[in-house]
Amino acid sequence: MKIKIRNYQTSDGDDTMLLMRALAKEVGASFNPEKWRESDYLRLFSPGLRRQTLVAEDEDTRRVVGMGMVEARLEPTGQLVGYLTNWIVDKSYRDKGVGRMLAETAIDILTRIGVDLVRVNVGMNVLDKLSEKLKKIGFNPVYVVFEKELKK
């Protein structure tokens, strides 16, 4: 198994949509495939923005087997904060270092941008499973986020 970490491309849309469906199911969140397709341009790398989507591709099968979104935001406190969101690795590739490769690449990118700290949002359904993995790469739990979905 040879994994390559690279920027998201429009051709990754179907593979990443399958990963996002799996992520939504695992964390108990809703997922709208139409909104996913409509927002494709937001996942493409743009040098002027501090946001990009990374994918892990199995070079043997040319299949996207993991993904994560990386963003740097200037907070009202004056800190430049990096965020890792929507991270998922295909079940058949878990515990093989793919998630760690994605995270290390993202942290390297955020370090070069000059962020002060990095935050990872973790679904409550997978908190126990991911806590130890995140601690191993230097993350510490700081606070819990509460969310309310607004009906339109």
Side-chain angles (χ1 to χ4, degrees), residues 3 5-6 54-56 66-70 83-85 87-89 97-112 118-120 130 133-139:
I3 300 295
I5 307 299
R6 61 171 174 77
L54 297 175
V55 296
M67 65 170 284
M69 298 174 184
V70 183
Y83 289 89
L84 308 183
T85 60
W87 287 73
I88 182 137
V89 173
V98 176
R100 184 183 200 105
M101 289 172 64
L102 279 164
E104 288 172 352
T105 302
I107 291 167
D108 183 53
I109 290 166
L110 292 168
T111 300
R112 283 186 272 131
V118 180
R119 293 182 178 146
V120 178
L130 293 180
K133 290 180 181 192
L134 287 167
K135 287 178 185 176
K136 285 180 183 177
I137 57 174
F139 286 90

Side-chain angles (χ1 to χ4, degrees), residues 72-89:
R73 291 186 228 149
L74 185 59
E75 299 288 318
T77 60
Q79 287 184 306
L80 185 58
V81 178
Y83 289 89
L84 308 183
T85 60
N86 298 311
W87 287 73
I88 182 137
V89 173

Side-chain angles (χ1 to χ4, degrees), residues 34-139:
E34 293 308 313
K35 285 189 176 188
W36 180 256
R37 284 188 193 95
E38 291 170 7
S39 63
D40 183 70
Y41 69 96
L42 294 173
R43 291 184 289 282
L44 296 171
F45 175 70
S46 175
L49 299 176
R50 292 180 175 163
R51 174 182 61 231
Q52 68 191 94
T53 300
L54 297 175
V55 296
E57 178 183 73
D58 182 324
E59 289 192 291
D60 295 328
T61 64
R62 295 281 191 224
R63 196 172 131 243
V64 173
V65 298
M67 65 170 284
M69 298 174 184
V70 183
E71 185 173 3
R73 291 186 228 149
L74 185 59
E75 299 288 318
T77 60
Q79 287 184 306
L80 185 58
V81 178
Y83 289 89
L84 308 183
T85 60
N86 298 311
W87 287 73
I88 182 137
V89 173
D90 182 278
K91 283 186 179 186
S92 62
Y93 285 80
R94 291 183 186 168
D95 298 318
K96 296 180 180 179
V98 176
R100 184 183 200 105
M101 289 172 64
L102 279 164
E104 288 172 352
T105 302
I107 291 167
D108 183 53
I109 290 166
L110 292 168
T111 300
R112 283 186 272 131
I113 291 172
V115 301
D116 298 303
L117 58 100
V118 180
R119 293 182 178 146
V120 178
N121 295 327
V122 177
M124 295 300 288
N125 297 6
V126 293
L127 181 62
D128 292 338
K129 184 169 39 173
L130 293 180
S131 288
E132 288 309 309
K133 290 180 181 192
L134 287 167
K135 287 178 185 176
K136 285 180 183 177
I137 57 174
F139 286 90

